[in-house]
RNA sequence: GUGGGUGUAGCUCAGCUGGCUAGAGCACCAGAUUGUGGCUCUGGGGGCCGGGGGUUCGAAUCCCCUCACUCACCCCA
């Protein structure tokens, strides 16, 4: 028997509906903030991610689905959404349009990881990217949009904020951090990180490393005056919108392109996979990918994990909906013709396709959780009056066949 | 990539230290009720016991390998 590939899954109608709702709510929110949808291919040239995401990141080092096509080109299933959006921004010279330029995306990403709770090889992200606004208000808008999404869904999340400064700040900080940590007791990974990318040590969950970091210098003490000012204004802007947050100087994100603001939305309800989303500012990426120097800030939210939290906004109540048409010979053909007329007028109608008896058809109406059973048999055609049964209460009434479509459309629980 | 747990019907599981045609509940289909669902009763369809190999007169059960799922580490959404 075939199964879905490891780390991927099928979405059966009930869950697919939940994902559709999450997408619709995200798209609606993005539009309210003035973001337009930008769809990019599922795969890109591998080099885009190598350069855009960063050679030394986990994503590029070990998580990419990379393959060679028949033209000997190296392609990669997109592991994240920002690099492709930036590529499109540059390729279509969108920087020539009105600034700032604001885009959102929603779709699957691919990472070759060992699956576990809340971690998949094909995962869905909703993200936004804002180009051309260097000031802190842009950071605040993006962070607020993500916060707003959680609020509308009714999902609890904690906002964690940090600033990793600019290249200049980090030179000084890295020196301080390396000299502080050198010679201390850390895990093997961190010892190598110390040389290659010392900021990653901050992200280590190892107890020994955490202990070593207790009194380590923090990046926020090394921000240059402009970066400090920017960070202060981001915090003030969030406070002004009554968005609560905590500052975590250890928050370092796994992609190389960030500068200044970084943030994550976390949950306590998913075990060890606590990140629901995150983002930050990436002022150098557009230029790195061949465009004009353009400041930018963005975020990405993990839809799979959010869905796992059972957002209250997705509760549909589980009520009955729609109409089941009960047919019987020799009047079935005529009844079915009427059903199609009802469908053309927007009424959702199902009917028996297996030549089952009346009793079984009512049972089907029940099992499919239809709100109404509409009986049209020989007697009804003769009298011109259809029998309508409320499958919730059991009450029955008669409807005039000539006006049945309008009457049904007006009923509760039809759609 | 490293480590732990689990694989028996569509689902949840039982099956003792190897021993009759492998079971239950739920679900599905039908009948009891030849134009009325939910409750009840009766009946029915469904299993290469994850796969392969081994031990044995005999394996769902014991051993080895493998695959899958799952949880955790790393890291992230």
């Amino acid at each position: 028997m075939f199964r879905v590939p490891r780390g991927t899954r099928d979405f059966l109608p009930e869950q697919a509906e939940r994902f559709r709702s999450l997408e619709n709510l995200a798209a609606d929110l993005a539009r309210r903030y003035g973001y337009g949808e930008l769809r990019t291919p599922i795969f890109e040239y591998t080099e885009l991610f190598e350069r855009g995401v960063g050679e030394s990141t986990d994503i590029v080092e070990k998580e990419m689905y990379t393959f060679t096509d028949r033209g000997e080109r190296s392609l990669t299933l997109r592991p994240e959404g920002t690099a492709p959006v930036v590529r499109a921004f540059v390729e279509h010279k969108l920087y020539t349009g009105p600034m700032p330029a604001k885009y959102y995306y929603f779709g699957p990403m691919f990472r070759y990881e060992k699956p576990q709770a809340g971690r998949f090889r094909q995962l869905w992200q909703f993200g936004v990217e804002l180009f051309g606004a260097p000031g802190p208000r842009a950071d605040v808008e993006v962070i607020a949009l993500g916060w707003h999404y959680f609020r509308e869904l009714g999902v609890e999340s904690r906002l964690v904020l940090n600033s990793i400064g600019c290249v200049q700040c980090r030179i000084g900080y890295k020196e301080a951090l390396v000299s502080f940590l050198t010679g201390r007791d850390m895990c093997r990974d961190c010892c190598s990180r110390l040389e290659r990318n010392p900021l990653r040590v901050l992200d280590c969950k190892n107890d020994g490393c955490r202990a070593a970091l207790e009194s380590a210098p923090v990046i926020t003490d090394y921000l240059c005056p402009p970066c400090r000012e920017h960070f202060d204004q981001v915090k003030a802007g969030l406070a002004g919108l009554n968005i609560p947050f905590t500052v975590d100087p250890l928050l370092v994100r796994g992609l190389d392109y960030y500068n200044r603001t970084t943030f994550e939305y976390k949950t306590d309800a998913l075990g060890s996979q606590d990140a629901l989303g995150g983002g930050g500012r990436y002022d150098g990426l557009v230029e790195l990918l061949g465009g004009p120097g353009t400041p930018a800030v963005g975020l990405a939210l993990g839809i799979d994990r959010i869905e796992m939290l059972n957002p209250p906004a997705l509760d549909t109540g589980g009520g009955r909906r729609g109409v089941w048409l009960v047919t019987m010979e020799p009047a079935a053909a005529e009844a079915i013709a009427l059903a199609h007329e009802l469908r053309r007028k927007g009424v959702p109608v199902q009917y028996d396709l297996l030549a089952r008896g009346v009793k079984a058809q009512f049972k089907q109406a029940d099992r499919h959780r239809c709100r109404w059973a509409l009986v049209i048999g020989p007697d009804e055609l003769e009298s011109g009056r259809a029998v309508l049964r409320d499958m919730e209460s059991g009450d029955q009434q008669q409807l005039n066949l000539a006006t049945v479509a309008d009457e049904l459309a007006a009923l509760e629980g039809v759609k």
Side-chain angles (χ1 to χ4, degrees), chain A residues 230-344:
Chain A
H230 185 92
F231 190 37
D232 287 342
Q233 288 189 31
V234 169
K235 289 189 283 190
L238 291 172
L241 296 178
N242 292 316
I243 295 175
F245 62 89
T246 55
V247 172
D248 179 2
L250 299 184
L251 177 68
V252 176
R253 296 185 42 78
L255 294 85
D256 281 353
Y257 48 61
Y258 290 119
N259 67 296
R260 291 191 167 171
T261 311
T262 61
F263 59 91
E264 257 177 37
Y265 305 93
K266 297 192 176 196
T267 177
D268 300 317
L270 282 184
S272 63
Q273 257 58 251
D274 66 348
L276 294 179
R281 177 165 281 280
Y282 50 95
D283 292 334
L285 186 58
V286 174
E287 191 166 15
L288 181 71
L289 294 182
T294 307
V297 55
L299 67 74
L301 305 180
I303 298 302
D304 304 82
R305 290 181 184 175
I306 291 169
E307 191 258 353
M308 288 169 79
L309 295 175
N310 286 315
L314 297 186
D315 289 345
T316 53
R320 294 172 172 276
R321 285 190 292 180
V323 177
W324 187 281
L325 174 67
V326 176
T327 66
M328 60 201 87
E329 300 300 346
E334 203 168 334
I336 285 169
L338 179 66
H340 281 260
E341 191 186 326
L342 290 173
R343 286 171 172 171
R344 280 198 299 274

Side-chain angles (χ1 to χ4, degrees), chain A residues 44-310:
Chain A
E44 299 272 358
Y45 291 119
T46 301
E47 197 184 350
L48 172 67
F49 299 114
E50 289 174 345
R51 290 180 55 191
V53 178
E55 299 272 7
S56 70
T57 60
D58 278 8
I59 287 180
V60 171
E61 279 185 349
K62 56 185 191 186
E63 295 176 3
M64 296 207 300
Y65 271 96
T66 297
F67 61 98
T68 304
D69 74 2
R70 289 164 188 267
E72 301 298 312
R73 289 169 286 252
S74 180
L75 301 170
T76 294
L77 264 36
R78 62 183 185 192
E80 58 102 49
T82 298
V85 169
V86 172
R87 192 222 79 233
F89 179 78
V90 174
E91 179 169 346
H92 300 285
K93 298 181 168 53
L94 298 174
Y95 45 79
T96 61
M99 287 288 127
K102 310 202 288 191
Y103 307 98
Y104 80 88
Y105 61 85
F106 189 103
M109 307 295 163
F110 304 84
R111 294 184 195 173
Y112 190 90
E113 293 195 272
K114 197 153 175 180
Q116 64 189 73
R119 168 174 298 167
F120 306 94
R121 289 184 170 182
Q122 179 173 3
L123 57 116
W124 269 259
Q125 289 189 338
F126 161 62
V128 306
E129 314 291 353
L130 190 165
F131 297 98
R137 278 189 187 160
D139 308 49
V140 171
E141 174 172 289
V142 167
I143 294 170
L145 190 156
W147 179 255
H148 200 156
Y149 189 55
F150 291 117
R151 285 293 297 270
E152 294 205 347
L153 290 173
V155 164
E156 297 282 337
S157 87
R158 294 179 282 117
L159 173 61
V160 181
L161 189 68
N162 191 25
S163 173
I164 59 171
C166 58
V167 179
Q168 299 305 321
C169 310
R170 263 171 286 164
I171 290 174
Y173 176 64
K174 279 182 188 172
E175 278 177 17
L177 186 64
V178 170
S179 67
F180 174 85
L181 288 174
T182 299
R184 289 185 187 262
D185 190 24
M186 294 184 299
C187 68
R188 192 172 299 118
D189 284 343
C190 284
C191 290
S192 69
R193 286 178 181 135
L194 198 54
E195 295 174 14
R196 302 177 55 206
N197 196 344
L199 291 186
R200 285 293 163 67
V201 178
L202 302 180
D203 211 20
C204 190
K205 306 295 189 296
N206 181 288
D207 287 342
C209 303
R210 299 215 99 144
L213 288 166
E214 281 286 321
S215 55
V218 294
I219 179 74
T220 41
D221 289 336
Y222 287 76
L223 298 180
C224 62
C227 284
R228 166 157 304 287
E229 173 68 11
H230 185 92
F231 190 37
D232 287 342
Q233 288 189 31
V234 169
K235 289 189 283 190
L238 291 172
L241 296 178
N242 292 316
I243 295 175
F245 62 89
T246 55
V247 172
D248 179 2
L250 299 184
L251 177 68
V252 176
R253 296 185 42 78
L255 294 85
D256 281 353
Y257 48 61
Y258 290 119
N259 67 296
R260 291 191 167 171
T261 311
T262 61
F263 59 91
E264 257 177 37
Y265 305 93
K266 297 192 176 196
T267 177
D268 300 317
L270 282 184
S272 63
Q273 257 58 251
D274 66 348
L276 294 179
R281 177 165 281 280
Y282 50 95
D283 292 334
L285 186 58
V286 174
E287 191 166 15
L288 181 71
L289 294 182
T294 307
V297 55
L299 67 74
L301 305 180
I303 298 302
D304 304 82
R305 290 181 184 175
I306 291 169
E307 191 258 353
M308 288 169 79
L309 295 175
N310 286 315

